[in-house]
Amino acid sequence: MNTSFELFDIYSLKTPCYVTDEGLLRKNLETLKYVRERTGCKILLAQKAFSMYETYPLIAEYLDGTTASGLHEAMLGREYMGNREVHVYSPAYRPEEMDKLTAICDHMVFNSCAQWRKFREKVQSCGRDIKCGIRINPEYSEIETDIYNPCFTGSRLGTTLENFDETALDGISGLHFHTMCEQNSDTLERTVHAAEEKFGKYFSRMEWLNFGGGHHITRPDYDVYRLIKVVDYVQQKYGVQMYLEPGEAVALNAGFLVAEVLDTMKNGMDIAIIDASAACHMPDVLEMPYRPNIIGSGKAGEKPYTYRLGSATCLAGDIIGDYSFDEPLKAGDRLVFCDMAIYSMCKNNTFNGINLPDIYFNTQNGMKHLKAFGYEDFKSRL
Ligand SMILES: *Cc1c(COP(=O)(O)O)cnc(C)c1O
């Protein structure tokens, strides 16, 4: 992997910590900007995956704005990327939050025709021209893990054709779907055809279509040219402005989690206890589940010294995985976990009173220490 990781000294940092790298982030953003420029589609940062707002002015150089899953993310997008578009989608809006949302959002996506009917008057009388859309459920998804599949049977996310009430479309200028997760553009192509089969008759009545996130556009094997072809096809056929709102792809492989070995022990195998936790600091490792890469390590047995890496919480299953190293691990050694900018900082927690990792930004002008956390952060949530 091409990282500028060599440019910083991991032993100068306070652990555990997340380090986001400006060069790696810009590299992703260049790819996304290329897609925007080639197609005229708009691309938003889905803050759910990455909401390190210190980087928003930088992201604003490349993208069209932010999207939010509710009021707080929308406020963050408005505050730190306020000269760009602010979009919001929520499975169900709270009536008492409508005034705040209508004051800051440019697009609002409703989960059903009933949600739209409920809030239509409020939105239309707010004095700002907000573009409103309905989230559709095309009932087509290639995601195999149900927890990440918005189209599984009984899903609450979006409206199926059967439940789509075309008499509610007055004031609706767009449709939205989000049915992908870490997928390539061939999946998008098939999804678009499935969505067209069901909802195509409404597409040309719209001004814009938003095809959600889950596009792994910045992954090395992603077929950007097929994406461009699909976007061109949709925009030309239906005369719409297209939006994409990737989260992962924006900061994919653009950050690290640096942890320190606290102790080593044996129980049928070598074990190392580190100051980062899967449960607290990289929850997708347990939820997805997946095994993050560590720089300089191999799979179990590949290098001479294999360890099971566990955290300092009391949760027996708080294990990151089995890894091998060239040298034995000892207290004080540092480990660098890859691809830790996304679904990490915005998803972590203080379970067991474990401290939150500090946040660093490795910029072209040197390392910036943005955040340190302590007892008050733990206490203030309880
Ligand atoms: C999660 C989500 C995204 C971003 O998904 P990624 O997989 O991070 O690209 C975009 N839009 C909606 C509606 C989402 O729920």
Side-chain angles (χ1 to χ4, degrees), residues 46 48-49 67 69 89 135 176-178 180-182 210 212-215 245-249 343:
K48 182 181 70 186
T67 188
S69 325
Y89 155 76
R135 176 164 174 173
H176 176 289
F177 70 73
H178 170 72
M180 290 171 51
C181 180
E182 301 188 337
N210 183 327
H215 315 279
E245 44 181 38
E248 285 215 22
Y343 292 105

Side-chain angles (χ1 to χ4, degrees), residues 213-336:
H215 315 279
H216 240 193
I217 302 169
T218 51
R219 198 174 69 199
D221 70 332
Y222 187 90
D223 184 351
V224 172
Y225 295 97
R226 192 191 291 255
L227 170 66
I228 290 172
K229 205 181 77 186
V230 174
V231 172
D232 283 346
Y233 161 78
V234 171
Q235 293 194 140
Q236 278 159 23
K237 179 161 179 190
Y238 299 105
V240 289
Q241 168 69 58
M242 264 205 52
Y243 283 87
L244 299 172
E245 44 181 38
E248 285 215 22
V250 174
L252 188 67
N253 288 313
F256 308 91
L257 173 61
V258 182
E260 184 165 293
V261 176
L262 298 174
D263 202 6
T264 58
M265 58 180 284
K266 286 184 194 291
N267 179 12
M269 65 186 302
D270 284 304
I271 296 164
I273 298 171
I274 66 173
D275 64 1
S277 153
C280 301
H281 306 149
M282 34 185 147
D284 279 357
V285 166
L286 301 180
E287 191 176 292
M288 194 81 166
Y290 80 103
R291 180 182 180 279
N293 283 328
I294 298 177
I295 291 177
S297 77
K299 294 191 183 103
E302 210 170 85
K303 290 172 179 267
Y305 302 96
T306 294
Y307 289 83
R308 175 156 298 171
L309 301 181
S311 92
T313 68
C314 296
L315 174 68
D318 194 354
I319 289 163
I320 297 123
D322 295 350
Y323 295 81
S324 64
F325 300 90
D326 292 322
E327 303 289 335
L329 292 182
K330 56 183 188 313
D333 285 351
R334 298 253 165 128
L335 301 175
V336 181

Side-chain angles (χ1 to χ4, degrees), residues 332-368:
D333 285 351
R334 298 253 165 128
L335 301 175
V336 181
F337 292 87
C338 298
D339 197 18
M340 284 293 162
I342 49 175
Y343 292 105
S344 54
M345 282 173 267
C346 53
K347 214 177 168 182
N348 58 17
N349 63 77
T350 58
F351 168 64
N352 239 207
I354 295 286
N355 202 15
L356 296 170
D358 284 24
I359 297 177
Y360 290 86
F361 190 28
N362 189 33
T363 73
Q364 284 160 357
N365 305 316
M367 186 68 80
K368 284 193 192 168

